[in-house]
């Protein structure tokens, strides 16, 4: 089966998700001095869950069938609770450059899992593009001027990589029989409950924290979490998980741009070169060759396309 074409709406959703997600690194770093990694994870997920609950009450989209609830609960705990806890704890001990290099493995992990789980075909062009983009990401990180070294705590970032890949790919089949909003909301409810044991002292931390640190939590909960995840899942629903996930490589260059505009951190020439290589790799990974003519085939009242 051919990979679906990326249309304007899908690309817009990807763009919103990447910009909001890229801002999360600064917000997490700003919040951690006042809160523990577990408190940041729970607060972020809880605020996101509240947004989803309000959305469900206002829009009333169809909820997933009860038979899917166990799978949604597992995906929520793995892809949200485990992901955020592992990443937050790792960032208290390892260099941000190390974490960024390891997190950039998410597209490759998602592509591999998609090929095994969803039977998504991975052309040689896609594999080459992912490799080129990874080189660009490494170049951007090394050009940041920060020390990059590996230590045991970095293994937690690898846990985040695997958890994220399982979350993105595991939801894909559910989107075909449930609404994107309902599926995403249910995983967030489960993920929030999973992080609850790590937030027993959050009320005391909130009472002692200055308002700017609390504002960072509010931003994390709404923008990168609610808005970012819902737009990302809409994109995955409209395309393939491996194809959409390749755009994660845009996140480091966007983060550099945010740092330049917001913090005055001017990127060097090597950083710009790395960003260009990253963009080129994503374009290569998503390039499409000639396809055989297609004919519409009716499936459950909808249309899909097959080679004819």
């Amino acid at each position: 089966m051919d990979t679906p074409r990326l249309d304007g709406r899908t690309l817009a959703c990807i763009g919103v998700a990447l910009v909001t997600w890229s801002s999360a690194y600064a917000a997490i770093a700003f919040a951690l001095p006042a809160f523990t990694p577990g408190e940041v994870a729970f607060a972020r997920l809880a605020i996101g869950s509240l947004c989803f609950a309000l959305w469900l009450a206002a829009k009333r989209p169809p909820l997933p069938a009860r038979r899917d609830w166990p799978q949604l609960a597992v995906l929520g705990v793995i892809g949200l609770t485990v992901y955020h806890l592992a990443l937050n704890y790792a960032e208290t001990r390892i260099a941000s450059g190390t974490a960024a290099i390891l997190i950039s493995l998410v597209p490759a992990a998602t592509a591999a899992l998609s090929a095994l789980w969803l039977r998504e075909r991975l052309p040689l062009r896609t594999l080459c593009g992912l490799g080129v983009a990874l080189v660009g990401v490494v170049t951007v990180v090394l050009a940041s001027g920060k020390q990059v070294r590996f230590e045991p705590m970095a293994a937690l970032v690898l846990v985040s990589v695997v958890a994220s890949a399982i979350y993105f790919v595991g939801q894909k089949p559910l989107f075909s029989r449930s609404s994107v909003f309902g599926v995403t909301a249910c995983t967030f409810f489960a993920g929030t409950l999973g992080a609850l044991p790590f937030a027993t002292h959050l009320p005391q931390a909130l009472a002692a924290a200055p308002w700017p640190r609390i504002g960072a939590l509010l931003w994390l909960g709404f923008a990168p979490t609610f808005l970012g995840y819902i737009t990302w899942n809409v994109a995955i629903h409209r395309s393939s998980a491996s194809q959409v996930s390749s755009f994660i490589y845009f996140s480091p260059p966007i983060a550099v741009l945010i740092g330049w505009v917001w913090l005055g951190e001017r990127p060097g020439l090597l950083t710009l070169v790395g960003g260009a290589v990253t963009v080129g790799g994503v374009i290569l990974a998503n390039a499409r060759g000639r396809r055989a003519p297609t004919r519409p085939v009716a499936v459950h009242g909808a249309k899909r396309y097959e080679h004819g």
Side-chain angles (χ1 to χ4, degrees):
M1 183 175 66
D2 286 309
T3 301
R5 185 178 296 276
L6 292 170
D7 58 15
R9 182 180 176 185
T10 302
L11 291 174
C13 288
I14 293 172
V16 171
L18 289 181
V19 170
T20 54
W21 281 354
S22 297
S23 70
Y25 293 103
I28 291 173
F30 192 75
L32 278 176
F35 304 98
T36 67
E39 290 168 349
V40 172
F42 173 78
R44 177 177 183 176
L45 293 173
I47 295 170
S49 291
L50 177 60
C51 292
F52 277 112
L54 294 174
W55 180 276
L56 291 177
K59 299 295 185 180
R60 297 187 181 278
L63 295 177
R66 292 200 176 194
R67 61 187 172 89
D68 292 330
W69 287 6
Q71 182 178 350
L72 289 167
V74 171
L75 289 174
V77 171
I78 293 176
L80 297 173
T81 307
V82 173
Y83 173 85
H84 289 294
L85 285 173
L87 183 59
N88 289 353
Y89 275 102
E91 287 192 356
T92 65
R93 295 286 299 276
I94 66 173
S96 61
T98 302
I101 289 176
L102 295 176
I103 286 294
S104 68
L105 297 174
V106 168
T110 302
L113 195 58
S114 295
L116 294 174
W117 191 346
L118 305 181
R119 308 297 184 187
E120 292 183 357
R121 187 181 63 182
L122 296 180
L124 179 61
R125 184 192 309 107
T126 298
L127 296 176
C128 292
L130 292 174
V132 171
L134 180 58
V135 171
V137 169
V138 173
T139 303
V140 169
V141 173
L142 294 179
S144 66
K146 296 181 180 180
Q147 183 181 11
V148 176
R149 60 188 179 90
F150 289 91
E151 55 182 75
M153 202 69 171
L156 286 178
V157 185
L158 295 178
V159 171
S160 295
V161 169
V162 175
S164 183
I166 292 174
Y167 179 72
F168 290 143
V169 178
Q171 291 181 107
K172 178 74 173 178
L174 298 175
F175 291 156
S176 64
R177 56 179 182 265
S178 302
S179 72
V180 175
F181 298 97
V183 169
T184 308
C186 287
T187 61
F188 263 85
F189 298 152
T192 301
L193 290 176
L196 183 58
F198 298 88
T200 54
H201 299 292
L202 181 58
Q204 296 89 327
L206 287 171
W211 277 106
R213 309 288 183 183
I214 297 176
L217 290 182
L218 294 174
W219 173 260
L220 279 171
F222 175 73
T225 305
F226 172 68
L227 190 58
Y229 273 92
I230 200 64
T231 52
W232 188 259
N233 282 344
V234 168
I236 287 181
H237 174 53
R238 296 173 61 86
S239 187
S240 72
S242 58
Q243 185 179 34
V244 173
S245 294
S246 69
F247 281 83
I248 290 178
Y249 284 122
F250 277 120
S251 187
I254 294 174
V256 168
L257 182 60
I258 291 176
W260 187 0
V261 174
W262 186 10
L263 305 176
E265 297 176 347
R266 184 182 297 273
L269 177 61
L270 188 58
T271 299
L272 297 177
V273 170
V277 172
T278 300
V279 173
V282 172
I283 293 175
L284 176 61
N286 289 281
R288 299 177 62 87
R290 291 185 177 179
R291 299 185 302 173
T294 59
R295 56 183 174 86
V297 179
V299 179
H300 299 301
K303 287 184 178 180
R304 66 184 176 89
Y305 293 87
E306 292 183 346
H307 285 300

